[in-house]
Amino acid sequence: MAGGTVTLERLPKGADLVEAVLEVALRHNLTHGAVKVIGALQCAVLGYYNQKAMKYESIDVVEEVEIVSGLGNISIKDDQPFVHLHLVLSKQDGVCLGGHAMPGTVIFAAEAMLQAGAGDAPHRKFDPDTGLYLWS
Ligand code: ZN
């Protein structure tokens, strides 16, 4: 996809959300860009990065939730496209929770918009100050 080009796709029910976004990116040869996703999930696992311990803690969301907002990006990590996605999810009473989308986040229905970035893809490298893989 040329820089700026947008693709809109429905993601498959029952698929892992991050894997489904990555599949769209790979199919379109998209190495870097922006991701937006809305929809609903059967369940989710959210990550919270503990800055002192420098590790992710996971939050299991064992209920059906709406994706109020899904925002993320795609860049290169270990020579492969990598999806970084954050979610705000609402429960049945409208109360929201959010975090970093982790494996185990299962789609009920989801609509994704991927926009290809221009220029060279940013590459993620391990950053010892944060313990995270950040753009170098
Ligand atoms: Zn994150």
Side-chain angles (χ1 to χ4, degrees):
M1 284 170 66
T5 307
V6 171
T7 184
L8 295 163
E9 296 208 15
R10 189 182 87 182
L11 304 179
K13 184 181 181 185
D16 181 273
L17 181 62
V18 174
E19 286 179 14
V21 171
L22 179 61
E23 188 280 325
V24 174
L26 293 173
R27 184 157 32 80
H28 289 275
N29 295 315
L30 194 155
T31 57
H32 60 298
V35 178
K36 296 178 185 175
V37 60
I38 57 172
L41 300 170
Q42 299 177 36
C43 59
V45 180
L46 298 172
Y48 171 83
Y49 192 69
N50 183 320
Q51 297 176 20
K52 289 184 182 64
M54 289 212 242
K55 64 176 188 183
Y56 277 99
E57 297 169 0
S58 57
I59 302 156
D60 286 324
V61 182
V62 290
E63 59 195 291
E64 296 160 359
V65 290
E66 297 283 321
I67 306 172
V68 177
S69 178
L71 283 180
N73 55 59
I74 295 165
S75 59
I76 300 294
K77 180 183 173 192
D78 298 329
D79 299 321
Q80 299 291 326
F82 174 82
V83 174
H84 185 196
L85 181 65
H86 283 200
L87 298 169
V88 177
L89 306 175
S90 69
K91 300 182 179 192
Q92 193 167 15
D93 61 2
V95 171
C96 290
L97 65 170
H100 175 108
M102 305 279 274
T105 297
V106 180
I107 296 166
F108 177 74
E111 297 171 344
M113 182 181 120
L114 278 66
Q115 183 170 29
D120 295 330
H123 284 65
R124 293 187 178 278
K125 298 256 165 46
F126 183 73
D127 173 51
D129 286 342
T130 61
L132 294 165
Y133 286 81
L134 301 177
W135 292 333
S136 58

